[in-house]
Amino acid sequence: MFSSISKYSPKKLLASSLSLFLAQFFNVDPDRVKSNLIKDTKVVLNDVEIKERRLGNNGDSYLRVGGSIKQIEFSWVWDSTALIKDVRLTVRGVSVNVRVIQEAKQDDAMVLIDSDSLENTSLQARQQTVGGGGVAGLQKGAKHNTETPPSDWKAKYMQQIIDHLTLAVTDITVAVHLHGDSKDGDVPQVVHLQANDMELRTLPSKISKDATANSLMQTISLASIEVWVEQDDSSRKFPILEPFGYEANVTRVSGRRFLDGVLSGLFVKGKPIAGDSRASSTIRLHAGIRQIAGLNRLQQVLLLVGHEDANGSPHPAEKKSQGSDNSSCITSTKSIFYLPFHSLEVVLENTTNLRLTGCSVRYSTDRSELSLDCSGGVWLDGEPISKDGRWVLDLVSCELLLDSLPCQEEREGELFYSTHSDVSQPIAQTFQLNLSLDMFQKVYCGILAIMPQCSEAKVIAEQTMDQYGQPTSLSSLWSMKANGPVAIRFTGNNNTWVEIVADSPQLGQAPSVSKGAIVFECKSTEVNSNAGFVIHIPHISSDHDGNLRVAHRIAASVDSMDIFNVLQDIASDIKNIIGGEPSSTGSIPVGISLAGFDVSFKDSQLRTINASHISGFGTEWSIGLLQVNDVGGVGLDASSLQVTLGTPKRIFVQKITRIAYNRVDYLSAPIMDGITFVLEEGDVLSVSCKDIYMKLPDQASVPQCVDNNSQEQVLSFPMSLHFTVELLRAESIATGSFIVNGVDFWARPAADSLMVDLNIKSTRARVKDKLELSCGKIDSSVEVLTAACRDTNSSGLGQLSLLSASMTVHDIVNFSTFAGQLSKPLDVVDIAYGGEAITIKCNKVLVCTTSAFNTQSDGAVANLPIAIYFEANRLIAMEDFGPGKPGLCFDGLQVHFTPSGTIMGIDAKCNNIQGRGAVNQEFAVKEVELNLRKNLLDGKDELLGLDEMQLSISEVTTLSIPEKLKLARPIYKLAVQLKNNAIDVECDLIHISYIQERKQATTSESHAGVESNIIP
């Protein structure tokens, strides 16, 4: 028996175990190590090569792990009782290389070990090191070795070594070489991890009665660890994790020391390292394009190792915990990590720094918890986003918890297992989140830059879930809930902010078979702004399919219409940032049902917007009733609205019973056949309907809303308008009526102007006692300047200044005024405006005049607002058409009416004029020019009511008064001038034949150059 004990002397036992352990992982001679240990109290190995191993089995790819250690030193001190103390294992210069091998080939110099056999081999080595597995192994080995003494002195001896062990690693470098054949220069090829001055120190243990329940106390410290990626040529370094130092206390409360590893039976409580000599205690991560691309490649490489649960086998921690009867709160099936740190910073691609302070990480190795807790506030580039709230990011349940309470005390032991949402005290304050437009732009641009890489990471995560049947945080659906009110304030330009306050909102996945169904619940929501509006939304709830329902009406109070301009400016600012990236379909993935909403304006109780019975899903929405009362001067009563938010966006209104402007109703009959609004591609709003019956108000009944304090504004037309109607009929008792068929109206905005095109199939109009018109097709085009004027009567809409216009009227079959009417239809009339005057051109006009044409007004005549140019190839005016009937005929007529103040100027030209009187008087002249000026306000004391007149006739070919006189020869160059109440007549030669009754005609001749001055 004693011979068997002698071979287990302390030196030989330690030498044998350590030599076998080192030979398992390093290329060393076990006999040499054993010999050195027996002779001395330490062993030093220099330039030790790590045995290469093969990890993973994924077709033709696997991982080759190898490296070297500059020095390994294992030392201890013998005390006077032949026991070991101050055991120290020091490792210097660790370098590990991991490479992806595309073709698996047998290599004699490489030990091929897959991931499963590696775990088993390592476990066997650890069992051999401590003498067959410590106490349990010794008890098991006693059944097979009867020579072993009954006492477990060997286990106690090895336990003594473990209790005094200090592990120190001065520097570690791990390089993972990714796919080396990649041609993408933007994807890093090497991931580096570097750590310095890592120390694991074991404190003296307190032995209890139960040897398996001995508590093991350890401290672990790490001066610095950092991770970065780079190209193979090391041309540039892209940091992932900046240098970071940390310390932790490790307590084993269950399980076997070291044999069970770090996955079970440990409680690890960390603390940041303080002091300038250590690395920063802030975890600073870089989330740039190259960093995420490198991590994606690393994730693909790690997938080659495989997954221990791929074949349905239990997790290693679960294997070791089977049959355990440990009643401790931290069982042998898991370990608990509580790691607080000062702050966590994420640096985006555009250098935007997102910092979370007062953070802690909680992790349980049995996958029951992995969370990030932040209670010190969130900062963006030094500006606070949230300072008083608490964030909890649960990566196991995929949940984000917002809590306005102060952070709870550090949870240890049983407290660790309490849920994050377990709140026993009342809510102290509202969880406040502040976000400015500048912050939004920084975060959005920073995230947008890495979206392709994040999408690739999600695809890899989904492939992992499909391959191993394990859900991941990237592929799972996240939820959010808050304990109390959450206020989100968004500040735009000019310090205009909008704040949303939601009371205890909860967002999560619906218990429905529908994939992606979302449930949302909120006690109440308030939306307010310093721009002047408040919106109250009552309780919001979801059904089992995720459909949202608001049972009570939404109430909104708005200061004035200007709020819509403010909201439009904020929306425009956001749109300028996000551009065309967001989807424009407007589809909402959940159903929404609203009882209705009421909008009131504080400046007037009469201005309201009311809607009832609102529901929708996806892109289809319906509104049962819509009432608008004097909003922007507009009033509307409509029912049965169908809204489509897809492409194109569409609104169909089945029935409209009231259309009003400035509190004046304009519909004489309801629109029953519906009206359709379509927002087409290219920002074109198309409006179409069948019939519209309107009533035109009297001018006296229209309220004159003139604001003398209003400032000049510029109208803005955000999109083109296309309006079509089959029949438009309008009537007024005071002025008349018109009926228009086939209206096609276009309004296209330009930079500072508006282009309007109007096409009409036919028109009938009547102005009471003044005008009647019936015509066919009308084509018109108008350009107006969208400038405003203070004198507008349209409630701030501004005045449209006419720049140019053109109109072509076809087939005028009826045109009658108090002065006459057309006797035959006009084929084409062209009307144009060039900025200074209106020009009217037509071919042949036949007008039947009336006796009213010769009546004179006994009062002042109003001046024209603009110059009018009238041109006609032929104009015939007769009271009664027929051969020999009296009338006038103008060929090549041009008449210009030019107003100037109170003076009306008329300039006329005509190639030929022919006239016939009631008793066959006749005249014919050629090349006539007429210029006259008339004072429209006071002209009674002037000759013929004219200020001045000039008449020139190139040739008077015919002048005949039956039985009185007849022109014998043409008169040339006849000039008549009226000035200063005197008429001057000048011509070359006049030959007149006098005809007396029953007598022969006599002829008189006036010589050339005769001047006549007639003074009345």
Side-chain angles (χ1 to χ4, degrees):
M1 181 180 71
F2 290 100
S3 62
S4 62
I5 295 178
S6 63
K7 69 178 181 179
Y8 288 109
S9 64
K11 288 187 176 181
K12 290 183 179 181
L13 179 61
L14 177 61
S16 176
S17 300
L18 185 59
S19 61
L20 291 176
F21 179 82
L22 294 177
Q24 182 67 36
F25 298 97
F26 307 104
N27 290 328
V28 296
D29 184 2
D31 294 335
R32 181 182 175 185
V33 173
K34 181 177 179 180
S35 176
N36 291 337
L37 288 174
I38 293 176
K39 295 178 181 179
D40 201 352
T41 59
K42 70 175 181 179
V43 59
V44 178
L45 303 177
N46 295 315
D47 299 326
V48 178
E49 181 180 358
I50 300 175
K51 287 185 177 182
E52 287 191 344
R53 300 182 182 275
R54 167 180 170 174
L55 299 179
N57 186 9
N58 187 7
D60 295 334
S61 300
Y62 64 92
L63 301 182
R64 176 184 292 178
V65 182
S68 63
I69 299 177
K70 188 175 182 180
Q71 186 181 77
I72 301 176
E73 179 180 344
F74 186 83
S75 62
W76 67 93
V77 176
W78 299 98
D79 62 4
S80 58
T81 60
L83 295 178
I84 294 176
K85 66 178 182 178
D86 295 336
V87 182
R88 185 177 183 86
L89 175 61
T90 303
V91 181
R92 301 179 180 90
V94 179
S95 177
V96 179
N97 290 282
V98 180
R99 295 183 179 275
V100 179
I101 305 301
Q102 298 294 339
E103 295 182 0
K105 296 181 179 180
Q106 185 68 29
D107 191 346
D108 296 337
M110 179 179 65
V111 180
L112 298 179
I113 303 177
D114 58 21
S115 57
D116 294 332
S117 62
L118 179 62
E119 173 66 24
N120 297 331
T121 304
S122 300
L123 178 61
Q124 293 172 3
R126 290 194 297 268
Q127 291 174 343
Q128 293 174 1
T129 303
V130 295
V135 176
L138 182 60
Q139 293 174 351
K140 181 179 179 181
K143 300 178 181 180
H144 303 284
N145 191 353
T146 57
E147 297 181 351
T148 302
S151 63
D152 56 347
W153 67 268
K154 186 171 59 173
K156 293 181 179 179
Y157 178 74
M158 299 305 299
Q159 185 70 55
Q160 179 190 24
I161 298 177
I162 293 175
D163 284 347
H164 293 81
L165 176 64
T166 297
L167 173 64
V169 182
T170 58
D171 56 289
I172 302 174
T173 300
V174 179
V176 180
H177 298 265
L178 308 177
H179 299 285
D181 58 347
S182 175
K183 303 300 182 181
D184 191 351
D186 293 334
V187 178
Q189 303 299 320
V190 185
V191 178
H192 290 273
L193 182 146
Q194 180 174 304
N196 297 319
D197 298 333
M198 183 182 72
E199 183 178 81
L200 175 65
R201 184 165 58 91
T202 303
L203 301 178
S205 61
K206 298 179 181 180
I207 306 298
S208 63
K209 296 180 180 180
D210 185 1
T212 61
N214 296 338
S215 60
L216 176 65
M217 301 294 295
Q218 294 176 300
T219 61
I220 183 171
S221 64
L222 180 63
S224 174
I225 182 173
E226 62 177 318
V227 181
W228 72 90
V229 294
E230 64 182 25
Q231 305 292 340
D232 280 339
D233 55 3
S234 301
S235 58
R236 188 177 177 185
K237 180 179 178 180
F238 301 98
I240 296 179
L241 173 65
E242 294 190 14
F244 172 73
Y246 204 70
E247 292 180 351
N249 294 324
V250 182
T251 303
R252 177 168 291 282
V253 297
S254 65
R256 297 170 295 176
R257 302 165 186 166
F258 287 102
L259 288 179
D260 290 331
V262 298
L263 299 180
S264 60
L266 296 182
F267 178 71
V268 181
K269 180 181 178 181
K271 62 178 180 178
I273 295 179
D276 298 336
S277 60
R278 300 291 184 127
S280 173
S281 59
T282 295
I283 299 179
R284 183 175 292 110
L285 301 172
H286 290 259
I289 295 176
R290 291 173 176 82
Q291 286 89 341
I292 297 181
L295 293 177
N296 287 342
R297 285 290 182 86
L298 178 62
Q299 186 176 6
Q300 292 174 334
V301 168
L302 295 179
L303 289 178
L304 297 176
V305 180
H307 196 281
E308 292 176 338
D309 293 343
N311 297 322
S313 59
H315 190 271
E318 297 174 357
K319 293 179 183 179
K320 300 173 184 178
S321 63
Q322 292 176 355
S324 176
D325 191 22
N326 198 324
S327 60
S328 174
C329 65
I330 302 177
T331 65
S332 60
T333 60
K334 60 183 173 183
S335 294
I336 300 300
F337 292 81
Y338 172 65
L339 308 175
F341 46 91
H342 291 312
S343 62
L344 170 65
E345 296 182 7
V346 178
V347 182
L348 300 178
E349 176 68 21
N350 58 350
T351 69
T352 298
N353 186 297
L354 184 64
R355 178 165 59 95
L356 289 76
T357 58
C359 302
S360 61
V361 174
R362 292 179 172 88
Y363 172 58
S364 176
T365 58
D366 66 348
R367 303 176 184 176
S368 62
E369 181 166 6
L370 174 59
S371 64
L372 172 65
D373 196 320
C374 171
S375 60
V378 181
W379 306 74
L380 182 69
D381 288 343
E383 298 183 19
I385 296 179
S386 174
K387 295 189 294 185
D388 301 325
R390 176 183 173 215
W391 303 64
V392 178
L393 188 66
D394 194 333
L395 298 175
V396 174
S397 59
C398 299
E399 180 182 69
L400 174 63
L401 172 68
L402 307 180
D403 195 347
S404 58
L405 292 175
C407 185
Q408 299 179 10
E409 296 180 356
E410 296 179 354
R411 295 177 294 175
E412 299 181 16
E414 291 83 3
L415 289 178
F416 184 88
Y417 296 97
S418 61
T419 60
H420 289 294
S421 59
D422 183 13
V423 180
S424 59
Q425 50 184 318
I427 300 300
Q429 58 187 354
T430 299
F431 182 92
Q432 186 71 41
L433 180 65
N434 299 305
L435 187 65
S436 65
L437 184 65
D438 181 61
M439 292 179 178
F440 174 77
Q441 183 174 11
K442 289 179 179 180
V443 174
Y444 179 81
C445 295
I447 295 178
L448 183 64
I450 59 177
M451 280 303 296
Q453 288 73 29
C454 293
S455 299
E456 181 182 358
K458 183 178 180 181
V459 172
I460 296 174
E462 291 174 348
Q463 293 175 350
T464 304
M465 181 181 64
D466 295 338
Q467 182 175 357
Y468 301 118
Q470 296 292 335
T472 65
S473 298
L474 288 176
S475 60
S476 301
L477 184 65
W478 282 77
S479 63
M480 184 277 295
K481 64 180 179 180
N483 293 324
V486 176
I488 302 176
R489 174 174 291 191
F490 181 84
T491 304
N493 294 327
N494 302 321
N495 293 324
T496 302
W497 53 262
V498 176
E499 185 177 61
I500 302 175
V501 182
D503 188 3
S504 304
Q506 296 186 15
L507 178 68
Q509 185 177 12
S512 172
V513 295
S514 301
K515 184 178 180 180
I518 301 296
V519 293
F520 176 78
E521 185 172 2
C522 185
K523 294 181 179 179
S524 64
T525 304
E526 296 282 345
V527 183
N528 61 86
S529 171
N530 61 351
F533 72 91
V534 177
I535 303 174
H536 173 74
I537 305 175
H539 182 263
I540 303 175
S541 60
S542 301
D543 59 16
H544 63 280
D545 290 325
N547 298 318
L548 295 177
R549 181 175 180 268
V550 181
H552 302 286
R553 297 181 68 87
I554 299 173
S557 176
V558 180
D559 286 352
S560 66
M561 289 293 296
D562 295 336
I563 182 60
F564 296 103
N565 296 329
V566 174
L567 296 178
Q568 183 179 4
D569 292 340
I570 295 177
S572 298
D573 292 336
I574 297 176
K575 184 177 180 181
N576 292 335
I577 295 175
I578 64 179
E581 292 295 330
S583 175
S584 60
T585 60
S587 177
I588 298 178
V590 297
I592 297 179
S593 176
L594 307 178
F597 64 82
D598 302 302
V599 181
S600 61
F601 294 84
K602 295 181 180 180
D603 55 0
S604 175
Q605 295 182 354
L606 299 178
R607 301 172 62 186
T608 59
I609 300 176
N610 309 100
S612 302
H613 308 298
I614 305 170
S615 62
F617 178 81
T619 61
E620 300 296 329
W621 290 77
S622 64
I623 302 175
L625 180 64
L626 176 64
Q627 293 180 328
V628 180
N629 297 315
D630 197 25
V631 177
V634 176
L636 175 69
D637 287 347
S639 59
S640 300
L641 287 77
Q642 300 294 327
V643 181
T644 301
L645 300 179
T647 302
K649 295 178 174 58
R650 180 178 179 271
I651 300 176
F652 175 75
V653 184
Q654 180 62 47
K655 182 180 179 181
I656 298 179
T657 57
R658 182 176 69 96
I659 296 178
Y661 184 72
N662 283 346
R663 302 179 185 177
V664 177
D665 293 337
Y666 283 87
L667 276 186
S668 60
I671 300 177
M672 303 298 295
D673 295 328
I675 182 170
T676 303
F677 302 84
V678 179
L679 183 59
E680 301 175 350
E681 295 183 1
D683 290 337
V684 177
L685 177 60
S686 178
V687 183
S688 61
C689 61
K690 187 176 181 181
D691 300 328
I692 298 180
Y693 297 89
M694 301 179 62
K695 57 182 178 181
L696 301 178
D698 299 337
Q699 188 65 25
S701 65
V702 178
Q704 303 298 315
C705 303
V706 179
D707 185 5
N708 294 326
N709 296 322
S710 63
Q711 297 180 353
E712 185 170 326
Q713 301 177 353
V714 176
L715 286 179
S716 176
F717 291 86
M719 63 186 65
S720 299
L721 174 63
H722 183 204
F723 174 73
T724 58
V725 59
E726 295 183 11
L727 175 63
L728 175 62
R729 183 171 67 182
E731 59 182 6
S732 172
I733 299 176
T735 58
S737 63
F738 66 85
I739 299 176
V740 181
N741 292 287
V743 177
D744 191 340
F745 173 86
W746 273 96
R748 298 178 176 88
D752 297 321
S753 62
L754 182 69
M755 299 297 301
V756 177
D757 295 321
L758 176 63
N759 299 312
I760 299 175
K761 291 183 178 179
S762 64
T763 301
R764 287 184 296 167
R766 180 183 61 85
V767 179
K768 188 175 182 181
D769 300 331
K770 293 182 180 180
L771 174 68
E772 289 188 5
L773 171 67
S774 297
C775 65
K777 182 180 178 183
I778 298 178
D779 299 324
S780 62
S781 178
V782 179
E783 182 180 8
V784 294
L785 179 67
T786 54
C789 179
R790 291 182 56 186
D791 298 331
T792 178
N793 297 330
S794 53
S795 302
L797 292 179
Q799 180 181 5
L800 301 179
S801 301
L802 193 63
L803 295 178
S804 64
S806 64
M807 178 183 294
T808 301
V809 184
H810 301 265
D811 302 327
I812 303 178
V813 297
N814 180 24
F815 182 82
S816 62
T817 66
F818 67 95
Q821 62 182 8
L822 287 178
S823 62
K824 291 186 179 181
L826 284 175
D827 52 356
V828 176
V829 175
D830 293 323
I831 304 174
Y833 171 77
E836 297 180 355
I838 296 177
T839 302
I840 303 174
K841 296 181 179 181
C842 55
N843 186 17
K844 183 178 180 180
V845 183
L846 302 181
V847 180
C848 289
T849 61
T850 63
S851 58
F853 178 76
N854 296 319
T855 61
Q856 296 183 0
S857 173
D858 56 357
V861 180
N863 199 356
L864 294 175
I866 194 172
I868 297 178
Y869 295 170
F870 175 75
E871 299 180 7
N873 293 336
R874 171 166 288 188
L875 173 62
I876 301 175
M878 305 176 68
E879 291 187 13
D880 186 14
F881 276 88
K885 300 295 180 67
L888 293 173
C889 179
F890 302 88
D891 290 329
L893 177 63
Q894 298 180 4
V895 182
H896 297 177
F897 299 90
T898 308
S900 177
T902 61
I903 304 299
M904 170 61 73
I906 300 177
D907 301 308
K909 291 183 179 181
C910 189
N911 295 334
N912 297 282
I913 302 177
Q914 300 180 49
R916 178 180 293 112
V919 291
N920 294 326
Q921 303 97 328
E922 292 184 358
F923 77 93
V925 295
K926 295 181 179 180
E927 297 181 4
V928 181
E929 292 188 9
L930 173 65
N931 307 103
L932 61 86
R933 300 293 180 266
K934 177 178 176 61
N935 192 326
L936 299 177
L937 297 181
D938 186 13
K940 295 181 179 180
D941 297 334
E942 297 173 352
L943 184 61
L944 301 179
L946 302 175
D947 290 343
E948 59 181 78
M949 180 191 71
Q950 292 179 354
L951 174 64
S952 64
I953 301 174
S954 175
E955 180 181 355
V956 181
T957 58
T958 302
L959 179 59
S960 172
I961 300 176
E963 299 180 357
K964 296 294 183 180
L965 61 85
K966 183 178 182 182
L967 192 63
R969 294 181 182 179
I971 301 175
Y972 297 97
K973 297 180 181 180
L974 175 62
V976 180
Q977 182 176 3
L978 170 63
K979 190 174 184 181
N980 298 327
N981 292 329
I983 297 177
D984 294 333
V985 180
E986 180 181 354
C987 63
D988 290 342
L989 181 64
I990 300 177
H991 295 270
I992 299 177
S993 298
Y994 295 95
I995 304 174
Q996 298 180 356
E997 188 175 356
R998 297 186 181 90
K999 291 184 179 180
Q1000 186 176 0
T1002 60
T1003 302
S1004 64
E1005 180 177 331
S1006 61
H1007 299 282
V1010 176
E1011 295 184 2
S1012 175
N1013 189 3
I1014 303 175
I1015 301 177

